[in-house]
């Protein structure tokens, strides 16, 4: 995994609450192996008409938001199905960060494991961000994982929090499996303890 | 968390017994007693293969072919769509290559993972249970700590038999009083979510308690815990009791005798929760959703709300969007909402008791709109046939087919059509869940049957 330290990109507003992972990644594409086609699966049914044409009214189809790397969403983003494919689709679309006031629990951890930074801020801050980027399309937001600070287009800063272990993994580009495998003696000892009763 | 007294919640007891290593920030490496997987877990097996890692404990993983299982046949080679056939074959190959017991399509014990796992006695009180599926919360009904995980975490569990977790908020949800006749666990779940919202349990562990929960059968508890995730919770659980022990007795993988340790699996009287909610069970009526979020639910005797009645501006917008997608104006009586079809199935409501509930309503009547019945497992199907329930469904005009996730998620090759309205016993009414443009109304099995007869959204009573 590519290390995540500091990232600056155009931000797109998505002013919808409870965006579930069924919407982000429709079920019928989930049988496909992970490849570049995932970029078209993301929000597919909102981005495309049934005959495959782009819907001009969907915000992520409109320039400059179609080139955004940060998504500023509504509350409860990524609720529902545990499908990690929703994160694969967002990543394939070019997103490296999603900002929201709350996230679906499993989505939050899936995102962290795939280098998509979920940034949780109070709803007042998130809605101010959405307004700012809607008012001046193309402005950028910066996120710094080391300091856990998001910098808004107007230069104001917001602190966020990412759990320590996941942050370490992300900053160093390590995956958890490798780290956990170093605890193999502890796991074996736990198994022995339990079997011994 | 960090309780200083010796009083512990049920959750805490199970958590503490599984900590392999704890970090200062509260994150813990938990040992996993039971891992389930389904066809969708192929990403995880690919990750493992890419890294050249082996499955650490193939004996603790069990696979169930359910999401893509066709309802019309039990033969993989008869699946017409090559992509669907491919994913079922991959599932079977991954299990074989890693020496894992998989309940494949043709297996007599195949079923939806959250129906067939408990049915086999594979989920037991006090266990930690994970699966790459959000409705893993279902298994908490047996007094287990059970939660859904993502594909990277599935790979982690396969390789290490452990998972990193930060402690969730603990929520006690007590349903007090007697549930009225005609109301079910599904109605309890919908009423709860309508009250606390889909964010009400966000990230939390909900222990369902109270006299109305104690009075539920294990099957009804499974329905309730299944829907905990729709309240935003990571898991739901019910303390095991006499009812649990009786239900587990004699199941293939359950121990011959109940483990005495199960008797200690309850929340101590002074254990503290982060929050508590009490629901008056006596007031719960048969419910249905009208919108595209499980929280958008009202009693079937009520009417669809108007967007301007929403409690705040954000929800006014959300409700307007939901009404638009659902093809409703707002203000109409639920009983006037005309249906195109009905689905009785899914891990929420396709156990034998659910089928009995629906059959009791259908006996001697004819359905007005097409209805698909897909039992929760092949065992449930055989049990229903032994009782003659299949005849009742068929005589009423319904399709009686094989066990599958079927129209809950519509991955098996059939969908609800664009703009079609379906009363469904599943758990998610999200836009597009049953097919692009499909309109889903979540209901209980009895209400689904009554609605199929009426061709409109009605309750059985
Ligand atoms: S029945 Fe539906 S909710 Fe249950 S496991 Fe299958 S797809 Fe998921």
């Amino acid at each position: 995994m590519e290390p995540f330290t500091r990232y600056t990109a155009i931000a797109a507003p998505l002013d919808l609450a409870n965006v579930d992972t069924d919407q982000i990644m429709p079920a019928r594409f989930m049988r496909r192996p992970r490849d570049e086609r995932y970029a078209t699966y993301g929000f597919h049914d909102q981005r495309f008409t049934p005959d495959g044409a782009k819907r001009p009214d969907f915000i992520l189809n409109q320039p400059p938001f179609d080139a955004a790397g940060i998504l500023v969403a509504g509350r409860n983003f990524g609720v529902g199905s545990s499908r990690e494919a929703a994160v694969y689709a967002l990543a394939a679309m070019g997103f490296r960060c999603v900002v929201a006031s709350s996230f679906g629990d499993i989505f939050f951890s899936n995102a962290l494991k795939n280098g998509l930074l979920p940034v949780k801020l109070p709803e007042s801050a998130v809605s101010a961000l959405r307004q700012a980027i809607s008012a001046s399309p193309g402005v950028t937001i910066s996120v710094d994982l080391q300091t856990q600070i998001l910098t808004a287009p107007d230069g104001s800063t917001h602190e966020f929090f990412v759990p320590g272990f996941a942050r370490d993994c992300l900053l160093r580009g390590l995956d958890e499996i490798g780290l956990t495998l170093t605890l193999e003696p502890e796991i074996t000892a736990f198994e022995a303890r339990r079997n011994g009763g | 968390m960090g309780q200083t007294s010796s009083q512990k919640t049920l959750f805490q007891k199970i958590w503490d017994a599984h900590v392999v290593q704890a970090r200062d920030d509260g994150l813990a490496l938990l040992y996993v007693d039971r891992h389930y997987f389904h066809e969708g877990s192929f990403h995880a097996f690919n990750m493992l293969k890419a890294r050249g890692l082996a499955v650490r404990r193939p004996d603790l993983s069990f696979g169930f072919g359910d999401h893509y299982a066709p309802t019309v046949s039990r033969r993989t080679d008869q699946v017409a769509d090559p992509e669907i056939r491919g994913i079922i074959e991959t599932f079977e190959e991954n299990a074989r290559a890693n020496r894992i017991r998989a309940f494949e399509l043709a297996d007599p014990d195949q079923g939806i993972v959250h129906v067939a796992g408990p049915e086999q006695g594979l989920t037991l009180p006090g266990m930690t249970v994970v699966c790459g599926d959000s409705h893993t919360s279902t298994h908490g009904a047996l007094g287990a700590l059970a939660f859904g995980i993502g594909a990277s975490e599935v790979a982690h569990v396969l390789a290490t038999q452990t998972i990193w977790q930060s402690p969730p908020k603990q929520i006690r949800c007590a349903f007090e009083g007697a549930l009225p006749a005609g109301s079910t666990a599904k109605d309890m779940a919908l009423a709860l979510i309508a009250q606390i919202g889909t964010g009400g349990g966000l990230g939390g562990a909900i222990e369902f308690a109270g006299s109305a929960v104690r009075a539920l059968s294990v099957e009804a508890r499974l329905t309730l815990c299944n829907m905990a995730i729709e309240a935003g919770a990571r898991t739901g659980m019910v303390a095991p009791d006499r009812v649990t022990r009786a239900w587990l007795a004699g199941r293939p993988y359950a121990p011959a005798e109940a483990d005495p340790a199960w008797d200690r699996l309850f929340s101590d009287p002074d254990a503290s929760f982060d929050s508590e909610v009490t629901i008056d069970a006596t007031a719960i009526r048969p419910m249905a959703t009208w919108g595209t979020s499980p929280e958008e639910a009202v009693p079937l005797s009520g009417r669809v709300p108007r967007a301007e009645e929403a409690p705040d501006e954000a929800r006014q917008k959300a409700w307007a969007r939901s009404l638009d997608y659902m093809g409703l104006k707002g203000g109409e009586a639920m009983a006037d909402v005309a249906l195109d079809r009905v689905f009785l199935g899914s891990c929420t409501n396709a156990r034998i008791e659910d089928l009995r509930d629906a059959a009791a309503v259908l006996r001697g009547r004819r359905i007005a709109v097409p209805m698909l019945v897909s039992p929760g497992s092949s065992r449930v199907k055989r049990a229903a046939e032994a009782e003659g329930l299949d005849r009742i469904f068929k005589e009423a005009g319904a399709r009686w087919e094989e066990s599958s996730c079927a129209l809950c998620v519509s991955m098996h090759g059939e969908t609800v059509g664009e703009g079609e309205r379906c009363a469904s016993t599943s758990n998610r009414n999200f836009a597009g869940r049953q097919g692009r443009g499909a309109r889903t109304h979540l209901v209980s099995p009895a209400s689904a049957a009554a609605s199929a007869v009426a061709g409109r959204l009605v309750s059985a009573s």
Side-chain angles (χ1 to χ4, degrees):
Chain A
M1 193 168 69
E2 206 184 315
F4 192 116
T5 45
R6 197 184 154 82
Y7 180 63
T8 302
I10 294 176
L14 189 68
D15 190 9
L16 294 172
N18 294 320
V19 171
D20 55 73
T21 52
D22 274 78
Q23 287 179 58
I24 303 172
M25 175 72 186
R28 62 183 183 282
F29 301 122
M30 283 176 55
R31 61 184 81 137
R32 309 255 172 93
R34 187 177 181 180
D35 59 23
E36 61 292 337
R37 289 179 299 177
Y38 272 59
T40 59
Y41 304 154
F43 293 104
H44 184 279
D45 294 351
Q46 288 161 72
R47 274 163 76 207
F48 304 100
T49 63
D51 38 24
K54 271 195 180 175
R55 287 182 195 272
D57 57 336
F58 188 61
I59 189 136
L60 299 182
N61 282 340
Q62 300 162 2
F65 300 129
D66 56 353
I70 296 178
L71 188 64
V72 184
R75 74 178 165 90
N76 268 342
F77 186 81
V79 285
S81 159
S82 61
R83 59 188 71 170
E84 196 161 301
V87 171
Y88 305 160
L90 289 171
M93 287 175 76
F95 290 109
R96 289 209 72 195
C97 172
V98 183
V99 184
S101 58
S102 54
F103 289 92
D105 197 37
I106 307 175
F107 177 88
F108 190 84
S109 63
N110 286 344
L112 285 169
K113 291 180 172 64
N114 288 278
L116 178 73
L117 181 67
V119 170
K120 210 184 294 184
L121 294 179
E123 182 55 37
S124 56
V126 179
S127 85
L129 282 174
R130 280 196 308 263
Q131 274 161 23
I133 57 187
S134 301
S136 328
V139 290
T140 61
I141 286 178
S142 294
V143 281
D144 188 327
L145 182 58
Q146 193 82 55
T147 57
Q148 301 186 90
I149 285 175
L150 176 147
T151 308
D154 65 359
S156 64
T157 56
H158 305 265
E159 238 180 292
F160 60 91
F161 173 75
V162 174
F165 183 63
R167 192 172 75 238
D168 285 352
C169 289
L170 212 47
L171 283 168
R172 292 155 65 194
L174 296 174
D175 82 19
E176 290 181 5
I177 297 181
L179 291 175
T180 307
L181 284 172
T182 65
L183 297 172
E184 145 77 15
E186 282 79 3
I187 299 171
T188 303
F190 182 91
E191 284 173 333
R193 249 192 338 267
R194 298 194 88 206
N195 294 338
Chain B
M1 308 299 296
Q3 286 160 10
T4 44
S5 80
S6 57
Q7 298 279 305
K8 286 186 182 183
T9 61
L10 167 63
F11 169 88
Q12 193 77 53
K13 289 177 182 177
I14 304 179
W15 176 284
D16 289 352
H18 289 84
V19 173
V20 175
Q21 192 173 71
R23 285 169 45 109
D24 293 343
D25 58 8
L27 195 71
L29 186 67
L30 297 183
Y31 195 78
V32 172
D33 294 324
R34 182 71 69 228
H35 165 241
Y36 295 115
F37 64 98
H38 54 83
E39 305 96 311
S41 304
F42 71 93
H43 286 297
F45 283 98
N46 285 347
M47 291 177 203
L48 220 59
K49 217 181 294 172
R51 302 190 40 152
L53 291 170
V55 176
R56 181 184 169 89
R57 291 293 301 267
D59 57 322
L60 301 184
S61 280
F62 291 83
F64 290 91
D66 53 8
H67 283 63
Y68 293 87
T71 59
V72 290
S73 132
R74 292 288 86 171
R75 290 196 30 198
T76 308
D77 61 355
Q78 283 178 355
V79 176
D81 183 314
E83 269 182 357
I84 295 180
R85 193 169 60 244
I87 199 166
I88 297 174
E89 285 166 356
T90 303
F91 161 77
E92 299 179 351
E93 280 159 23
N94 279 331
R96 231 165 284 147
N98 291 289
R99 293 168 292 111
I100 297 174
R101 168 78 166 101
F103 296 81
E104 302 178 355
L105 205 49
D107 193 300
D109 290 332
Q110 173 274 349
I112 305 172
V113 54
H114 311 310
V115 176
E119 175 183 85
Q120 289 292 317
L122 282 164
T123 297
L124 298 172
M127 275 186 168
T128 48
V129 178
V130 301
C131 173
D133 191 282
S134 54
H135 291 101
T136 308
S137 61
T138 314
H139 303 255
L142 292 157
L145 172 54
F147 49 89
I149 57 179
S152 296
E153 290 175 318
V154 171
H156 187 281
V157 171
L158 286 169
T160 70
Q161 203 55 37
T162 61
I163 185 150
W164 290 100
Q165 283 286 297
S166 47
K169 285 217 161 35
Q170 296 187 55
I171 303 165
R172 183 174 187 271
C173 174
F175 287 91
E176 299 293 355
L179 191 66
S183 296
T184 66
K186 179 63 156 292
D187 304 305
M188 290 165 75
L190 288 173
L192 170 70
I193 300 164
Q195 179 173 328
I196 70 172
T198 52
L202 210 61
I206 301 181
E207 181 180 342
F208 293 108
S211 55
V213 172
R214 295 259 73 87
L216 293 177
S217 68
V218 167
E219 305 211 341
R221 294 175 188 180
L222 288 160
T223 300
L224 188 57
C225 289
N226 176 273
M227 297 286 290
I229 176 84
E230 306 315 329
R234 200 181 300 177
T235 188
M237 57 206 313
V238 176
D241 56 11
R242 200 169 32 79
V243 180
T244 320
R245 290 191 293 273
W247 192 82
L248 282 169
R251 298 195 175 267
Y253 288 86
E257 300 272 336
D259 185 337
W262 297 351
D263 296 342
R264 295 190 289 276
L265 294 172
F266 55 85
S267 288
D268 296 327
D270 290 327
S272 68
F273 289 83
D274 295 295
S275 65
E276 306 202 22
V277 41
T278 303
I279 309 252
D280 175 10
T282 64
I284 294 172
R285 300 287 176 269
M287 302 282 291
T289 58
W290 54 266
T292 58
S293 162
E295 71 185 21
E296 295 169 347
V298 292
L300 277 160
S301 56
R303 51 177 195 80
V304 181
R306 293 190 175 85
E308 58 271 23
E309 294 163 7
D312 53 54
E313 208 185 311
R315 259 172 293 182
Q316 270 173 27
K317 234 173 57 186
W319 285 17
R321 226 177 114 81
S322 286
L323 287 169
D324 180 55
Y325 179 87
M326 294 299 289
L328 297 169
K329 285 196 289 292
E332 51 271 78
M334 290 294 274
D336 287 336
V337 176
L339 296 167
D340 297 299
R341 57 196 287 173
V342 173
F343 171 55
L344 173 56
S346 90
C347 61
T348 315
N349 275 136
R351 296 178 185 83
I352 190 71
E353 290 177 6
D354 299 316
L355 301 188
R356 283 183 196 138
D357 274 4
V361 175
L362 286 178
R363 187 185 296 275
R365 299 161 89 180
R366 291 285 301 175
I367 54 176
V369 293
M371 177 176 188
L372 169 65
V373 187
S374 177
S377 72
S378 297
R379 260 188 190 231
V380 168
K381 181 165 188 265
R382 286 195 302 279
E385 288 169 351
E387 292 178 22
L389 302 184
D390 60 319
R391 276 206 319 280
I392 299 175
F393 289 118
K394 286 188 269 195
E395 280 166 18
R399 281 160 60 199
W400 172 255
E401 295 183 358
E402 303 288 348
S403 172
S404 164
C405 291
L407 287 176
C408 172
V409 69
S410 294
M411 286 172 160
H412 66 304
E414 179 186 353
T415 57
V416 174
E418 177 117 36
E420 271 192 343
R421 190 182 300 286
C422 180
S424 177
T425 63
S426 52
N427 45 42
R428 287 193 173 136
N429 53 339
F430 297 161
R433 172 81 177 180
Q434 294 190 295
R436 186 174 183 149
R439 295 165 173 161
T440 306
H441 296 273
L442 303 178
V443 292
S444 72
S447 302
S451 299
V453 170
R456 292 174 291 108
L457 277 176
V458 295
S459 68
S461 39

